[in-house]
Amino acid sequence: MNDLTINNRINQTLDVIIIGAGFSGLGMAIQLQQANINNIAILERDKEVGGCWRDNQYPGAACDIPSHLYSFSFAPNPNWSRAYSNSHEILEYIKSLVSDFELQRYIRFNTNVSNITFDEKAGFWTIKTDKRKALKARSIVIASGPLANCSFPNIPNLKEYKGHKIHSARWDHNFNFSGKKVALVGTGASAIQIIPKLVKKVKHLTVFQRTPAWVLPRLDAETPQWISSLFRELPSAQKLSRQAIFALHEVGALGLIWNSPLTSAMQRVALKHLQHQVKDDWMQRQLTPNFRIGCKRVLMSNNYYPALQQPNCKLITWPIARMSEKGIRCAEGIEHQFDCIVFATGFDIGTQTAPFSVKGVGGRDLGEDWKRGAQAYKSINVSGYPNLFLTFGPNSGPGHNSALVYVESQLNYAVQGIQRILNEDLAQLDVQAKAQEKYNIKIQKRLSKTNWNSGCKSWYLTEDGFNATMFPGFATQYSIQMRQFKDKDYHRVSAI
Amino acid sequence: MASIDLEKMRQKIKNTQWALVDFDWGSPGAEKITTEQWPKLKTFMADLMWIEHVGARGFAALAKSAPTDNLREIYTYFHAEEQRHANAEMALMKRWGMLDKNEPPVPSANLRLVIEWLERYADDTPFNLLATLIPMLEVALDGALCKYLLETVDDPLCHEIFAKINDDESRHLGVGFTVMEMQGKGPHYIAFIQMLGHLFDPRLIAGALVYFPLLNSMRDNLIAMGMQEEKLYKSIAKFKEIGGRTDQGRRNPWFQVIQYHGTIMVDRSNHFYHVPVDMLVALSNKIPRRLLPSPPTWVAELTHRPIA
Ligand SMILES: Cc1cc2nc3c(=O)[nH]c(=O)nc-3n(C[C@H](O)[C@H](O)[C@H](O)COP(=O)(O)OP(=O)(O)OC[C@H]3O[C@@H](n4cnc5c(N)ncnc54)[C@H](O)[C@@H]3O)c2cc1C
Ligand SMILES: [Fe+2]
């Protein structure tokens, strides 16, 4: 095939349709292209690539895994300016993937997928979008992101507030904060990055906290010039450094995933960090978590605690009773009024639910099947939904390492599956229900021994406390399980 | 009052939140406070407000040590609600012109010691003790004080506010007594021995040394204001009655200790108790202010302003 521009192929049955143009979707296209699978398309609802790094442009947004590891191993970047790059730089990197690997031609922007249905006899998926014409593909990769949809907190009368509202993942760059009384709801990963920046811009900032998180010091630094030059001259040096950072994070798993002596050591470091930076006893108490470190996402910051203690900042831990026209009423009976409320309240978690309507064999519905807890085989295939691959499927999340290490394993696995469908001309490549069940029993058993399941409420767990988010093990373990496509666990139907 | 479903209770608490802005603080009625009443009422309100605030800190400690997520959340709300009561009472004081420079009233030396004790030890106090003691304080002090207040003050806004406060308070007591009964489950002797161990903990002895005089000085203040002592005693009888209405409730050893102490406290003829405790009251009033440590910062959270 010569002309790969997607608009010229739109009426054909494509080999692969990828949904989402974030790290995962673009990485998928690169890997397929390298395996010589070019009859593909990427559907993206936004008008730009970048996924969560396009959306999360709030002040202070940055990754919390070092950039040399939080990037693709097949597209190293010697020029990262800091250990933990900011969102802007990460977005530039993602855009460079598009130009370096010539991905533009595959992408259809402003195309929101609303449902996909499998045709068992013909062996292809029909994809409906907000555009009039439906698309067809032999296989699908869902790369719509684990944290792509903003979530607002469950506060009574949320809509009643008439002032300006901003969600951290849809930042309003036109709003002028200077001289304003601002509230920020949430004290999670985004919040602790925003607060130190925002407190410098506003007249007064009030931070509403429901539960405090463990915060470790962050060892961030600018990359010295000679390091970038070295990495440019000697790519193997960069590879080596990436491996070292990876190994260091793997060790961290010992403390973060399971309750080990390292867990207590980390908790002591976090507590010392708090006591060092916050002198007031009551505030220390407000900021001390009542769960084991690692149970929820561990945060890293050096300037969060100092920011909270600025004269124009106030931490409120009273439960929020409701919103009102002018602000937030808390259970202590006071109405706190604001010009603007920032919600740094996270996302609806993509690993736990179907992102849109997905209809598989015999009309079964993924949303229904996952109602009592999302399940997949090795996080990537779901029985009854042939020729469908998930990135960041159930139990694929790391708590201690770069998500992209996991994604790379998924991409490689999906390529192996898709190659089988195309080379063997299969109408269906479907994982066996038994294999999936066996895998999940093992996963849930291992999860029960982790810190995540040790009793705190977190976004890793569903309302009922089911963990469909995290992978209970080292990144290395995950990579090993994904290395080989296990043919005997799959059921095949040839195309006629 | 039967044992309640604590899950449903949490929902109910969330659905019955109110705020100071729900009331018209400029409405007529403030003038109904007589000049004769005014100075005594000022002392009374100051005490009441501080007791709410101290109760709030007690609930904060309970929220930390609560055995279940549900109770933890309930106590987190109760912590805030007691603070709301203190704020509302402070706002009433403001309305009646009782706040000097809009500052919270200065707490008595005895209350200062209670605050200091709470700050140091409340978070380490056994859950079972605090969960029994706080209902006692709520019945005895809150209950008696509020009743008295409503009988003597004619300001309609005060009545509106206290209708809300009493609603909250009845939920606090409902939970309080239910939790007290829960503690009566399980082998009696184990709980008893654990309690004995705690009784001799110096931190708790220090607690008793600030708690006993608090009760006695409150009694003195009430009498000075013309309230009959019986009201206080009736409240304590109520605590005994409800707390001990079931076998389980009676098996909670902390309930036995606290209700026994209540009995002694209302028995004026028990000189073994009252002489030394009254001396402690006198003594704590003699402590020079400068020797008292500066108040913890949670005290600064009090406000009479409905809007921040
Ligand atoms: C603020 C923030 C910081 C993070 N920091 C780190 C970190 O430091 N380290 C780490 O390992 N991980 C981090 N993560 C996790 C991050 O989600 C993953 O690392 C990774 O970027 C996910 O990439 P993705 O392509 O799978 O998803 P996304 O980047 O979310 O991309 C999904 C794309 O799909 C599109 N889409 C969604 N639904 C549809 C639809 N129905 N139709 C069409 N298009 C659709 C979206 O518009 C989006 O462009 C962070 C996440 C956030 C939000
Ligand atoms: Fe109260």
Side-chain angles (χ1 to χ4, degrees), chain B residues 48 51-53 55-56 59 78 81-83 85-86 89 137-138 142-143 146 165 168-169 172:
Chain B
L48 181 60
I51 283 169
E52 304 273 18
H53 192 49
F59 276 122
F78 287 179
E81 290 182 346
E82 291 295 344
Q83 180 87 5
H85 301 170
E89 285 152 17
L137 279 172
E138 294 217 88
D142 260 13
C146 296
I165 292 184
D168 290 347
E169 224 55 84
H172 295 190

Side-chain angles (χ1 to χ4, degrees), chain B residues 73 201 259:
Chain B
E73 197 172 347
D201 181 334
Q259 69 90 11

